[in-house]
Amino acid sequence: ENNENGVNVKAIETNPIELLEQIQKRYPDKSPQFYPKLSMAVDSSRCSILRLPGIMPRYSHPDFDSTAPFLFREDGTLVLKSSHEVSLEEIEEMQEEYFLGNYLCGRDVCAADMVWAPYLERYAVQLPLLFPNAKSCDPRSNRYDEVNAWYVA
């Protein structure tokens, strides 16, 4: 495809997770480590990234390019409040697994935080607007101490 100057421009789709992998390989000794290892067998960041689709509301539309990923079902109807509550509780539980800090995998920001951040930031704004009288749908409420600590960090 050529632009108005006749220069061939090709849209490149890049997977953000692959970009994080490339950065980590290029700068393995630089902080923060995007993929910290809890042990030789456990890569907490990759595990947390893979958990995203299973934790967010089932049968919802996960399109990251959407302004409201995971808020609507595949049929276009609004995801139930109870589904969001379950997702927030599961995120809270996931954070409790890595109790060494306020980020998803401990003390330092990692690839999991970078992948989850757009979804969690949208949740923090959109859920209280959709369910204004439900503290159970406010990720920044005291009901979700670990999730709120992530926002503060």
Side-chain angles (χ1 to χ4, degrees):
E1 176 178 326
N2 292 336
N3 67 10
E4 65 275 359
N5 297 323
V7 176
N8 187 345
V9 290
K10 182 179 177 182
I12 299 174
E13 260 188 54
T14 306
N15 180 324
I17 296 170
E18 290 174 10
L19 282 176
L20 292 171
E21 296 268 359
Q22 290 173 14
I23 292 168
Q24 185 70 61
K25 284 180 187 172
R26 185 173 286 174
Y27 305 102
D29 300 325
K30 298 284 184 183
S31 189
Q33 291 294 306
F34 293 159
Y35 298 95
K37 297 220 182 240
L38 293 179
S39 69
M40 291 304 287
V42 178
D43 182 336
S44 57
S45 189
R46 283 184 182 84
C47 290
S48 295
I49 290 168
L50 294 173
R51 291 168 78 175
L52 176 68
I55 288 179
M56 299 307 274
R58 278 78 173 154
Y59 310 112
S60 61
H61 196 277
D63 186 8
F64 177 72
D65 293 334
S66 162
T67 56
F70 297 111
L71 293 184
F72 296 94
R73 293 182 181 152
E74 294 167 348
D75 65 4
T77 60
L78 190 64
V79 169
L80 298 175
K81 178 177 75 116
S82 60
S83 294
H84 293 298
E85 291 167 342
V86 168
S87 293
L88 288 168
E89 289 167 5
E90 289 183 22
I91 295 166
E92 181 86 358
E93 289 173 13
M94 182 178 73
Q95 283 186 266
E96 290 171 352
E97 292 173 15
Y98 307 111
F99 55 87
L100 298 174
N102 294 333
Y103 292 103
L104 291 177
C105 298
R107 282 187 282 273
D108 299 313
V109 69
C110 67
D113 296 291
M114 293 175 209
V115 171
W116 278 78
Y119 300 105
L120 293 178
E121 289 295 343
R122 288 176 185 175
Y123 245 33
V125 173
Q126 294 168 332
L127 288 183
L129 291 173
L130 287 172
F131 308 103
N133 298 320
K135 286 289 184 194
S136 61
C137 278
D138 183 355
R140 292 182 184 264
S141 74
N142 291 334
R143 180 175 178 153
Y144 306 106
D145 291 334
E146 299 294 328
V147 177
N148 189 43
W150 179 88
Y151 286 111
V152 173

